Amino acid sequence: MQRIFILTGAGISAESGLRTFRDADGLWEGHKVEEVATPEAFAANPELVHNFYNARRSQLLTVEPNLAHHALVQLQRKWGDRLTLVTQNVDDLHERAGMEKVMHMHGELLKQTCTNCGDVSDCADRMSIESQCEACGEIGCVRPHIVWFGEMPLLMDQIHSKLMQCELFISIGTSGVVYPAAGFAEEARRHGASLIEVNLEGTDISPIFDEHLQGAATDTVPELVKRLTDTL
Ligand code: OAD
């Protein structure tokens, strides 16, 4: 059985009702990315950034995993540890569908990090400049557990090691413009993997893939999972 590496992006959660990053005139829920997703933005206006992520967190509680998230769980049940799932998404829809060992390289909306002691913990519904870290007791030092532009994505050593071992690399619903994730397909290819891209449309990196499955994730992902499991 092939070792499979799956990378997901905002497109897999789009049909659940969460907007992607690059589908609305470069704005994300009405904000420029540099207003809400950089350490500089947080330093300059922590209340705005907290409110933005508080709103994202409330919205997340109103949506559900879709058929694409559920299909990947079926694949994991068959493939076990030979399947790696890395997501750029900060939502918890993979987990809510039943996926195990999801690697969130860009952090998680439902967690907070303390800039004083480094503790990462589940966060309350709303975070503010008055929030207190439960580990060190410091007030005003918790921030969303989100990798912002200019910061190092998480779990990179483990991710590189899984990329080197995989025989099939599948990219689902990502525009392939944000590095380092956008370079994973090329890295897997250098180590001999076959590459499948699943997306509504072609992307900047489509030419390096062996196969492009065009369409909505809720159609294409279940079809792909069926194809893979039928070949077992
Ligand atoms: P993007 O918004 O850049 O791209 C979403 C991709 O999903 C596009 O290529 C769409 O064509 C595709 N798409 C949309 N709806 C789809 C559907 N129903 N089925 C299949 N594909 C669909 O989102 P990401 O590539 O995830 O980083 O963005 C990467 C990173 O940029 C994010 O993790 C975030 C952002 O800034 C951080 O927050 C650090």
Side-chain angles (χ1 to χ4, degrees), residues 6 8 12 67-77 83 85 94 99 170 172 221 225:
I6 301 178
T8 61
I12 196 166
L67 291 175
H69 297 103
H70 287 295
L72 293 183
V73 176
Q74 297 310 315
L75 191 64
Q76 186 177 56
R77 291 203 176 129
L83 181 133
L85 179 80
H94 283 303
M99 201 81 187
I170 303 172
I172 303 171
V221 175
V225 167

Side-chain angles (χ1 to χ4, degrees), residues 8-16 18-23 28 33 37 53 66 68 87-90 105-107 146-151 153 172-179 181 197-203 213-221:
T8 61
I12 196 166
S13 297
E15 290 163 87
S16 290
L18 298 179
R19 290 179 81 138
T20 62
F21 295 93
R22 294 178 179 79
D23 67 0
W28 178 26
V33 100
Y53 287 100
N66 63 45
T87 187
Q88 298 166 87
N89 299 343
V90 298
M105 63 177 291
H106 288 165
I146 303 280
V147 176
W148 287 323
F149 282 92
E151 296 181 327
I172 303 171
T174 175
S175 54
V177 297
V178 175
Y179 283 82
E197 182 178 55
V198 180
N199 202 300
L200 268 186
E201 52 194 36
T203 68
L213 299 178
Q214 187 150 357
T218 54
D219 294 326
T220 45
V221 175

